Amino acid sequence: MEGEIAESQRQRRKQEYELRTLPGAYAAVNQQRAACDKELRALQEKKSYANNNLAGATWETSISAEMTAIATRCDTRNRELRDDIETVRKECQALGGCK
């Protein structure tokens, strides 16, 4: 009986990974990527308003630095989310799922 209970729990965990956890992790990556793209596009648009003078050049440089910081932050977060996906996928595979 304990074996049946353990197997039932394993199947339930496998289903949870396959139906909720892994799809949620992939969705988080997509949402993160979309948010970063939106943020970078907004800054790129701001750069187009820079005047062709010293103040405009300074402002454009500032925006470029901000874009670099955002790109770095987004890249780091995307790697963290991808690592999370890999961990979940391995756990799910250990349970016999997520092929």
Side-chain angles (χ1 to χ4, degrees):
M1 181 143 184
E2 287 180 21
E4 290 176 16
I5 292 171
E7 178 61 22
S8 175
Q9 289 174 338
R10 188 184 70 74
Q11 289 296 324
R12 186 176 43 80
R13 282 196 337 246
K14 182 182 84 156
Q15 264 190 329
E16 181 70 23
Y17 281 126
E18 290 176 332
L19 299 177
R20 288 195 182 146
T21 307
L22 200 54
Y26 281 116
V29 168
N30 291 333
Q31 289 170 349
Q32 170 69 18
R33 186 175 297 130
C36 288
D37 289 347
K38 181 179 178 182
E39 202 171 357
L40 289 171
R41 274 193 311 274
L43 288 172
Q44 185 64 42
E45 186 177 325
K46 279 175 79 173
K47 279 178 80 170
S48 70
Y49 296 119
N51 293 327
N52 194 16
N53 58 26
L54 180 59
T58 303
W59 189 48
E60 189 173 354
T61 300
S62 172
I63 293 171
S64 293
E66 188 177 353
M67 289 175 75
T68 300
I70 289 169
T72 301
R73 175 178 45 89
C74 288
D75 183 56
T76 300
R77 183 64 182 140
N78 282 333
R79 273 192 253 131
E80 290 170 353
L81 291 170
R82 290 281 177 201
D83 289 346
D84 291 347
I85 286 172
E86 187 61 25
T87 299
V88 168
R89 199 176 59 71
K90 286 179 181 178
E91 290 173 8
C92 183
Q93 287 176 336
L95 295 169
C98 298
K99 295 183 175 152

